[in-house]
Amino acid sequence: MSKHVDVPEDHPRYESLLTRHRIEAGVDKGITSRQGLIAQGRGEAFDYLLGERTTDSADAAERVAVAHLLLAEHAVLSVNGNVAALAPAETVELAEATGADIEVNLFNRTEERMQAIADHLREHGAREVKGLTADARISGLSHERGKVDADGIYDADVVLVPLEDGDRAEALAEMGKTELVVDLNPGSRSARAAAVPIVDNIVRALPNMTKHAQELAQEDEATLRELVEGFDAQAALDEAEREIRTGTFE
Ligand code: ATP
Ligand code: MG
């Protein structure tokens, strides 16, 4: 994590404050929208309630999500302004570890932000960044909000959509895609639309998924399918809610 900001390392919210600074820097760089600041605030509140850690059930969901990525014909990791600001290198590493494409996909789409995010991802090692062609549409969404690449998200069978808006998450699921959602709010429509809801902070989820990918890459297809089939999305959401209700706070 970058240390450009003056946060004392013994501060109890150290990681959280650094993460918040990354979002601020993202806004300054034209990567993150101002609405992204609000989304971050909402995420922080849930992270606080979860104890700012990856729970066992989130870890299990991350492993299953990776199995889906490895089994996919065509997997795509969708990147918005918050994800690009918080975890650009971690996104590239997961894409490399699973053979997934990376596509920029914005709720508030402007060509400037699309370009800034694509450049930022390339600076962090991305070889190819999709989303700029925007020659296909997700059905059921208005024109600007539905734009995707025909050879990217439109064509994908498995998509990872972190911090996604509920409408878009539902529309992608309705297109028959296997949707993997990272969202700290287990009650969010996005998490509820997901085949695999991952209730964890994106900054912890992505590196942990890459670690799982390195292990699962050795496994045969039958083992991966077993993992995928044994997963219960509702049970994962229930477990996250239980963690929130029964957590102890520092
Ligand atoms: P809907 O209810 O339609 O799903 P929303 O109102 O939740 O949409 P946003 O506020 O844009 O829409 O959603 C942002 C979501 O992302 C929130 O649920 C928030 O908890 C989650 N979130 C924010 N920051 C992070 C993060 N760093 N890691 C994981 N999830 C995050
Ligand atoms: Mg939501």
Side-chain angles (χ1 to χ4, degrees):
M1 214 161 264
S2 89
K3 295 193 180 177
H4 302 303
V5 64
D6 194 15
V7 180
E9 283 190 41
D10 59 352
H11 191 290
R13 305 253 92 70
Y14 179 70
E15 290 295 332
S16 165
L17 292 174
L18 282 187
T19 304
R20 189 181 291 180
H21 181 73
R22 282 193 170 191
I23 289 282
E24 259 186 275
V27 173
D28 291 345
K29 244 186 135 179
I31 290 170
T32 311
S33 72
R34 283 181 296 164
Q35 299 208 357
L37 293 169
I38 297 167
Q40 171 67 17
R42 183 180 285 195
E44 277 182 15
F46 282 100
D47 207 12
Y48 180 83
L49 294 171
L50 283 160
E52 292 168 350
R53 76 210 150 91
T54 300
T55 62
D56 290 345
S57 70
D59 179 57
E62 282 155 15
R63 192 169 174 84
V64 169
V66 167
H68 274 292
L69 292 173
L70 293 172
L71 286 167
E73 291 281 331
H74 182 191
V76 176
L77 314 184
S78 173
V79 175
N80 65 18
N82 284 53
V83 176
L86 291 175
E90 293 80 356
T91 300
V92 173
E93 280 157 20
L94 180 61
E96 297 283 325
T98 58
D101 281 340
I102 295 175
E103 178 160 341
V104 184
N105 184 19
L106 301 182
F107 184 76
N108 296 307
R109 185 188 173 98
T110 68
E111 288 314 309
E112 294 73 29
R113 278 185 62 224
M114 292 293 295
Q115 200 58 60
I117 292 172
D119 291 346
H120 186 66
L121 289 167
R122 287 196 199 95
E123 280 164 25
H124 286 85
R127 275 173 294 162
E128 200 196 347
V129 179
K130 294 186 189 284
L132 295 152
T133 319
D135 49 353
R137 294 262 312 272
I138 304 170
S139 45
L141 295 178
S142 70
H143 187 70
E144 281 304 305
R145 289 177 54 205
K147 283 182 172 174
V148 287
D149 278 16
D151 66 353
I153 288 176
Y154 188 82
D155 174 67
D157 55 342
V158 177
V159 264
L160 176 77
V161 283
L163 288 59
E164 183 56 281
D165 156 75
D167 270 358
R168 301 213 306 169
E170 283 170 0
L172 283 171
E174 271 159 35
M175 281 177 85
K177 306 207 183 285
T178 298
E179 196 168 27
L180 320 170
V181 167
V182 182
D183 192 322
L184 279 158
N185 176 5
S188 156
R189 282 187 299 149
S190 318
R192 296 189 171 269
V196 182
I198 298 168
V199 184
D200 196 6
N201 198 314
I202 188 72
V203 302
R204 294 189 301 266
L206 291 175
N208 195 40
M209 288 174 76
T210 298
K211 200 186 82 199
H212 281 302
Q214 283 151 0
E215 282 168 29
L216 291 178
Q218 328 296 328
E219 302 291 350
D220 57 17
E221 194 179 321
T223 308
L224 297 179
R225 292 217 177 276
E226 234 173 80
L227 253 177
V228 160
E229 276 150 28
F231 183 75
D232 182 339
Q234 188 57 51
L237 293 171
D238 291 347
E239 181 58 19
E241 287 186 7
R242 199 191 59 78
E243 295 273 5
I244 287 172
R245 276 200 316 275
T246 60
T248 47
F249 310 118
E250 285 172 18

